[in-house]
Amino acid sequence: QIWIEGNIASGKTTCLEYFSKTSDIEVLTEPVSKWRNVQGCNPLGLMYQDPSRWGLTLQTYVQLTMLDRHVLPMSTPVRMMERSIYSAKYIFAENLYKSGKMPEVDFAVLSEWFEWIIKNIAIPVDLIVYLQTSPQTCYERLKQRCRDEEKVIPLEYLESIHNLYEDWLIHHKSFEVPAPVLVIPADHDLKKMLHQYEENREKILMAHC
Ligand SMILES: Nc1ncnc2c1ncn2[C@@H]1O[C@H](COP(=O)(O)OP(=O)(O)O)[C@@H](O)[C@H]1O
Ligand SMILES: Nc1ccn([C@H]2C[C@H](O)[C@@H](COP(=O)(O)O)O2)c(=O)n1
């Protein structure tokens, strides 16, 4: 199992789309559509409007929907999955808490849920592919993608997410990393990115062996 990790709009979905054309690979994208519509409500939009009030609501739902993805039985030898329950906690919940936008009690409850899950439920991973971008590149791609909820995201938000990813996956300064990390520089244009994916194809697809 391979997780594709990276900042918002770093190119994870585009990377997965590329590999989805390979036979014997199952690709699981993030369930963003669920985060934008759970029984007619939009926790992603609410979180960006008022993170202190809705951060826990979104992150609880992210935790549930990511766990649901992790425990799906595999239908092919290789599974590539966009992000993980780990980055939900170590990057996004952490960012809300550290920036003072998630109350301590909310973070404590979410943390206890997370700790219980990783202790009691097997979440296998063989390789983490980190698409390493500059926050500025993500900011430009984010504006180009133009998702309604994300129009309020400032560059500083992407910088915070970037720093948390770097501390976790590059500098090993924050949390345990559950698998080896393959870093792919991802500021390049699409043509160069596809070339890099080809160069790394073997390393990625043989990770489970
Ligand atoms: N290498 C690239 N160069 C330029 N634009 C890109 C590149 N990769 C992706 N994009 C565009 O940037 C936006 C975000 O990409 P996406 O794959 O959705 O990112 P993520 O899934 O990480 O949020 C999309 O509009 C996509 O078409
Ligand atoms: N735990 C998470 C995971 C994602 N988000 C947000 C960030 C983006 O606005 C959106 C989807 O991310 P993308 O795939 O485009 O990088 O969901 C979050 O707030 N918390």
Coordinates of all heavy atoms in Angstrom, one line a residue, residues 47-80:
M47 N -15.7 24.6 8.0 CA -14.4 24.7 8.7 C -13.6 25.9 8.2 O -13.0 26.6 9.0 CB -13.6 23.4 8.4 CG -12.3 23.3 9.2 SD -10.9 24.1 8.5 CE -10.6 23.3 7.0
Y48 N -13.6 26.1 6.9 CA -12.8 27.3 6.4 C -13.5 28.6 6.8 O -12.8 29.6 7.0 CB -12.7 27.2 4.8 CG -11.6 26.3 4.4 CD1 -11.8 25.3 3.5 CD2 -10.3 26.5 4.9 CE1 -10.8 24.4 3.1 CE2 -9.3 25.6 4.5 CZ -9.5 24.6 3.6 OH -8.5 23.7 3.2
Q49 N -14.8 28.6 7.0 CA -15.5 29.8 7.4 C -15.3 30.1 8.9 O -15.1 31.3 9.3 CB -17.0 29.7 7.2 CG -17.5 29.7 5.7 CD -16.9 30.9 4.9 OE1 -16.9 32.0 5.5 NE2 -16.5 30.7 3.7
D50 N -15.3 29.0 9.7 CA -15.1 29.2 11.2 C -14.4 28.0 11.7 O -15.0 27.1 12.3 CB -16.5 29.4 11.8 CG -16.5 29.8 13.2 OD1 -15.4 29.7 13.8 OD2 -17.6 30.0 13.8
P51 N -13.1 28.0 11.6 CA -12.3 26.8 12.0 C -12.5 26.4 13.5 O -12.5 25.3 13.9 CB -10.9 27.2 11.7 CG -10.8 28.5 11.2 CD -12.2 29.0 11.0
S52 N -12.6 27.4 14.4 CA -12.7 27.2 15.8 C -14.0 26.4 16.1 O -14.0 25.5 17.0 CB -12.7 28.4 16.6 OG -11.6 29.2 16.3
R53 N -15.0 26.7 15.4 CA -16.3 26.1 15.6 C -16.4 24.7 14.9 O -17.0 23.8 15.5 CB -17.5 27.0 15.2 CG -18.9 26.4 15.2 CD -19.3 26.0 16.6 NE -20.6 25.3 16.6 CZ -20.8 24.0 16.4 NH1 -19.7 23.2 16.2 NH2 -21.9 23.4 16.4
W54 N -15.9 24.6 13.7 CA -16.2 23.5 12.9 C -15.0 22.6 12.6 O -15.1 21.5 11.9 CB -16.8 23.9 11.5 CG -18.1 24.6 11.7 CD1 -18.3 25.9 11.5 CD2 -19.3 24.0 12.2 NE1 -19.7 26.2 11.8 CE2 -20.3 25.1 12.2 CE3 -19.7 22.8 12.5 CZ2 -21.6 24.9 12.6 CZ3 -21.1 22.6 13.0 CH2 -22.0 23.6 13.0
G55 N -13.8 23.0 13.1 CA -12.6 22.2 12.9 C -12.7 20.7 13.3 O -12.4 19.8 12.6
L56 N -13.2 20.5 14.5 CA -13.4 19.2 15.1 C -14.4 18.4 14.3 O -14.2 17.2 14.0 CB -13.8 19.2 16.6 CG -14.1 17.8 17.2 CD1 -12.7 17.0 17.3 CD2 -14.7 17.9 18.5
T57 N -15.5 19.1 13.9 CA -16.5 18.4 13.1 C -15.9 17.9 11.8 O -16.1 16.7 11.5 CB -17.7 19.4 12.7 OG1 -18.1 20.0 13.9 CG2 -18.8 18.7 12.0
L58 N -15.2 18.7 11.1 CA -14.6 18.2 9.8 C -13.6 17.1 10.1 O -13.6 16.1 9.5 CB -13.9 19.4 9.1 CG -13.1 18.9 7.9 CD1 -14.0 18.4 6.8 CD2 -12.1 20.0 7.3
Q59 N -12.7 17.3 11.1 CA -11.6 16.4 11.3 C -12.1 15.0 11.8 O -11.5 14.0 11.5 CB -10.5 16.9 12.2 CG -9.7 18.1 11.6 CD -9.2 17.8 10.2 OE1 -8.8 16.7 9.9 NE2 -9.1 18.9 9.3
T60 N -13.2 15.0 12.5 CA -13.8 13.8 13.0 C -14.3 13.0 11.8 O -14.1 11.8 11.6 CB -15.0 14.0 13.9 OG1 -14.6 14.9 15.0 CG2 -15.5 12.7 14.5
Y61 N -14.9 13.8 10.9 CA -15.5 13.1 9.7 C -14.3 12.7 8.7 O -14.4 11.6 8.1 CB -16.4 14.1 9.0 CG -17.3 13.4 7.9 CD1 -18.0 12.2 8.2 CD2 -17.4 13.9 6.6 CE1 -18.7 11.6 7.3 CE2 -18.1 13.2 5.7 CZ -18.8 12.1 6.0 OH -19.6 11.4 5.0
V62 N -13.3 13.5 8.6 CA -12.1 13.1 7.8 C -11.6 11.8 8.4 O -11.3 10.8 7.7 CB -11.0 14.2 7.8 CG1 -9.7 13.6 7.2 CG2 -11.5 15.4 7.0
Q63 N -11.4 11.7 9.7 CA -10.9 10.5 10.4 C -11.7 9.3 10.0 O -11.2 8.2 9.7 CB -10.8 10.8 11.9 CG -9.9 9.8 12.6 CD -9.4 10.4 14.0 OE1 -8.4 11.0 14.1 NE2 -10.2 10.2 15.0
L64 N -13.0 9.4 10.1 CA -13.9 8.3 9.8 C -13.8 7.9 8.4 O -13.6 6.7 8.1 CB -15.4 8.7 10.1 CG -16.4 7.7 9.6 CD1 -16.4 6.4 10.4 CD2 -17.8 8.3 9.7
T65 N -13.8 8.8 7.5 CA -13.9 8.5 6.0 C -12.5 8.0 5.6 O -12.4 7.1 4.7 CB -14.3 9.7 5.2 OG1 -13.5 10.8 5.5 CG2 -15.8 10.0 5.4
M66 N -11.4 8.4 6.2 CA -10.1 7.9 5.8 C -10.0 6.5 6.4 O -9.4 5.6 5.7 CB -9.0 8.8 6.3 CG -8.9 10.1 5.7 SD -8.8 10.1 3.9 CE -7.2 9.5 3.6
L67 N -10.4 6.3 7.6 CA -10.4 4.9 8.2 C -11.2 3.9 7.3 O -10.7 2.8 7.0 CB -10.9 4.9 9.6 CG -10.9 3.6 10.3 CD1 -9.5 3.0 10.4 CD2 -11.6 3.7 11.7
D68 N -12.3 4.4 6.8 CA -13.2 3.6 5.9 C -12.4 3.2 4.7 O -12.4 2.0 4.2 CB -14.4 4.4 5.6 CG -15.4 3.6 4.7 OD1 -15.8 2.5 5.2 OD2 -15.7 4.1 3.6
R69 N -11.6 4.1 4.1 CA -10.7 3.8 3.0 C -9.6 2.8 3.4 O -9.4 1.8 2.6 CB -10.0 5.1 2.5 CG -10.9 6.1 1.8 CD -11.0 5.7 0.3 NE -11.3 6.8 -0.5 CZ -12.6 7.2 -0.8 NH1 -13.6 6.6 -0.3 NH2 -12.8 8.2 -1.7
H70 N -9.0 3.0 4.5 CA -7.9 2.2 4.9 C -8.3 0.7 5.1 O -7.5 -0.2 4.8 CB -7.2 2.6 6.2 CG -6.3 3.9 6.1 ND1 -5.2 3.9 5.3 CD2 -6.4 5.1 6.6 CE1 -4.6 5.1 5.4 NE2 -5.3 5.8 6.2
V71 N -9.5 0.5 5.6 CA -9.9 -0.9 5.9 C -10.6 -1.6 4.7 O -11.0 -2.8 4.8 CB -10.8 -1.0 7.2 CG1 -10.0 -0.5 8.4 CG2 -12.1 -0.3 7.0
L72 N -10.8 -0.9 3.6 CA -11.4 -1.5 2.4 C -10.5 -2.7 2.0 O -9.3 -2.6 1.8 CB -11.5 -0.6 1.3 CG -12.7 0.3 1.0 CD1 -12.5 1.2 -0.2 CD2 -13.9 -0.5 0.9
P73 N -11.1 -3.9 1.7 CA -10.3 -5.0 1.3 C -9.7 -4.7 -0.1 O -10.3 -4.0 -0.9 CB -11.3 -6.1 1.1 CG -12.5 -5.7 1.9 CD -12.5 -4.2 1.9
M74 N -8.4 -5.1 -0.3 CA -7.7 -4.8 -1.5 C -8.2 -5.7 -2.7 O -8.4 -6.9 -2.5 CB -6.2 -5.0 -1.4 CG -5.6 -4.2 -0.3 SD -4.2 -3.2 -0.8 CE -3.2 -4.2 -1.8
S75 N -8.4 -5.0 -3.8 CA -8.9 -5.8 -5.0 C -7.8 -6.0 -6.0 O -8.0 -6.7 -7.0 CB -10.1 -5.1 -5.6 OG -9.7 -3.8 -6.0
T76 N -6.6 -5.4 -5.8 CA -5.4 -5.6 -6.7 C -4.2 -5.7 -5.8 O -4.2 -5.4 -4.6 CB -5.3 -4.3 -7.6 OG1 -5.3 -3.2 -6.7 CG2 -6.4 -4.2 -8.6
P77 N -3.0 -6.1 -6.4 CA -1.8 -6.3 -5.6 C -1.3 -5.0 -5.0 O -0.6 -4.9 -4.0 CB -0.8 -6.9 -6.6 CG -1.6 -7.3 -7.8 CD -2.9 -6.6 -7.8
V78 N -1.6 -3.9 -5.8 CA -1.0 -2.6 -5.3 C -2.2 -1.6 -5.1 O -3.1 -1.5 -6.0 CB -0.1 -2.0 -6.4 CG1 0.5 -0.6 -6.0 CG2 1.1 -2.9 -6.6
R79 N -2.1 -0.9 -4.0 CA -3.1 0.2 -3.8 C -2.4 1.5 -3.6 O -1.4 1.6 -2.8 CB -4.0 -0.1 -2.6 CG -4.8 1.1 -2.1 CD -5.6 0.8 -0.9 NE -6.7 -0.1 -1.2 CZ -7.5 -0.6 -0.2 NH1 -7.2 -0.4 1.0 NH2 -8.5 -1.4 -0.6
M80 N -2.8 2.5 -4.3 CA -2.3 3.9 -4.1 C -3.4 4.7 -3.6 O -4.5 4.8 -4.1 CB -1.7 4.5 -5.4 CG -0.5 3.8 -5.9 SD 0.1 4.4 -7.5 CE 1.0 5.8 -6.9

